[in-house]
Amino acid sequence: MPDTAADGNKRGARSARPAQRRPLLAWLGVSPFFLFTLLFMFLPAGFLVVGSFLDQEGQPTLQNYADLTTPIVANAYANSIEISAITAIGGGLFGFLLAASVILGGLPPFMRNALMTFSGVASNFAGVPLALAFIYTLGNLGFLTAFINNTFATDIGQAGFSLYSKVGLEIVYMYFQFPLMVLIIAPALDGLKRDWREAAENMGATGFQYWRYVAFPILLPSLMGAVILLFGNAFGAQATAFQLTGGTIPIASIVIGAQIRGDVLHNTGLGFAMAMGMVVIMAMAITGYSLLQRRSERWLK
């Protein structure tokens, strides 16, 4: 009987055929991805690299990169870096505190669901609609501006506030920066194990000591990586700033468009060189984010 059962098992094993793989269909399924990356990443990147080394007559030159030190270009980069850094730090701090309060603060579950839903929508609400929304709210004739002026008998414009200034642009950027921070940092906060806090409390640690010596060092790589990602998110923005200020505040992305379109400035090669500078800065930000994420994953698995 045992031999018969064994033979039956062998025949059953031989009769079972492995699932047929169809690599051709699998490659066909991912072909849109490769086509997309080729058309919208590699070809434009190659076009920028080649164009940045050509002058107006199409002759090879290095002058485009030398012109990156001119005052208008340097000022545009400085404005972009300043706005991106301020909104990344401010949005990162506010977003972290908000996420920690909702996720770790013991609030009802519906508060987390509401926050994550809002963050998912607000982090993608940018460009022209966001600029118009703030103009209708905090512009010179916005309803909130009128409410403040009428209620408190004051003029916030005369007090020095203008939505169309660098400070106003930073306020608008904060609208999509802190929700993005909530979405990024929420998984890291969920990764904090309750055992770590209980072990710290059993050893006599206070809540401040737990955050100082346990939770914060573990979250630090995720926090730094998220702030770097927020910096890159703001650095590449263009439509919101252009719609809000009309190009009166020169940032790198707006000056690139002016150089290529030729509204006032016109040096296509310089515009390509500036775009390559933005590509380098964005690549550095993405690389830093990736390295910090790998470090944080060692603890948060």
Side-chain angles (χ1 to χ4, degrees):
M1 290 298 294
D3 293 339
T4 303
D7 293 340
N9 290 336
K10 291 180 180 179
R11 286 194 298 270
R14 283 195 297 268
S15 63
R17 295 181 180 179
Q20 293 183 353
R21 297 181 180 179
R22 298 180 178 179
L24 181 59
L25 292 178
W27 283 107
L28 184 62
V30 298
S31 59
F33 166 76
F34 291 111
L35 181 62
F36 179 85
T37 55
L38 175 65
L39 294 178
F40 295 97
M41 292 184 64
F42 292 107
L43 287 182
F47 185 74
L48 286 178
V49 172
V50 174
S52 65
F53 288 101
L54 299 178
D55 60 14
Q56 295 287 69
E57 287 73 30
Q59 300 299 319
T61 182
L62 295 176
Q63 187 61 38
N64 295 327
Y65 286 95
D67 290 341
L68 293 179
T69 59
T70 56
I72 186 172
V73 175
N75 185 45
Y77 273 113
N79 287 334
S80 292
I81 292 174
E82 177 185 346
I83 294 172
S84 301
I86 290 175
T87 58
I89 295 173
L93 179 61
F94 181 54
F96 169 72
L97 294 177
L98 184 59
S101 300
V102 174
I103 295 175
L104 304 177
L107 296 178
F110 78 89
M111 288 295 298
R112 171 172 180 157
N113 295 334
L115 175 64
M116 300 306 291
T117 301
F118 167 79
S119 298
V121 174
S123 61
N124 291 284
F125 186 62
V128 175
L130 178 62
L132 292 177
F134 269 87
I135 290 173
Y136 299 151
T137 304
L138 281 173
N140 294 336
L141 299 177
F143 76 88
L144 186 58
T145 303
F147 174 79
I148 294 174
N149 293 343
N150 295 332
T151 303
F152 300 99
T154 184
D155 189 339
I156 61 175
Q158 293 182 356
F161 173 77
S162 174
L163 182 65
Y164 313 109
S165 64
K166 189 182 296 184
V167 174
L169 185 59
E170 291 168 355
I171 293 174
V172 175
Y173 274 30
M174 285 286 290
Y175 182 85
F176 59 78
Q177 288 286 69
F178 85 83
L180 181 59
M181 179 64 179
V182 172
L183 295 177
I184 296 172
I185 205 63
L189 292 172
D190 286 329
L192 292 176
K193 296 181 174 59
R194 182 176 296 181
D195 298 345
W196 298 340
R197 179 144 200 168
E198 292 176 351
E201 291 176 349
N202 290 336
M203 297 178 66
T206 62
F208 175 80
Q209 290 173 328
Y210 163 74
W211 277 98
R212 170 66 179 83
Y213 296 105
V214 180
F216 186 73
I218 293 174
L219 290 174
L220 185 59
S222 296
L223 289 172
M224 294 178 62
V227 170
I228 291 175
L229 192 61
L230 293 181
F231 176 89
N233 185 49
F235 190 78
Q238 192 265 353
T240 302
F242 187 80
Q243 178 65 34
L244 187 69
T245 66
T248 56
I249 299 177
I251 61 176
S253 57
I254 292 179
V255 174
I256 289 173
Q259 294 286 358
I260 295 176
R261 288 195 311 267
D263 296 342
V264 177
L265 309 171
H266 182 59
N267 188 340
T268 305
L270 178 58
F272 290 159
M274 290 185 65
M276 287 302 301
M278 291 190 67
V279 169
V280 171
I281 293 176
M282 294 292 288
M284 293 172 59
I286 294 173
T287 302
Y289 172 75
S290 300
L291 293 176
L292 290 168
Q293 280 297 102
R294 291 181 184 178
R295 185 178 180 87
S296 65
E297 286 174 357
R298 298 176 184 176
W299 285 98
L300 299 175
K301 286 183 179 180

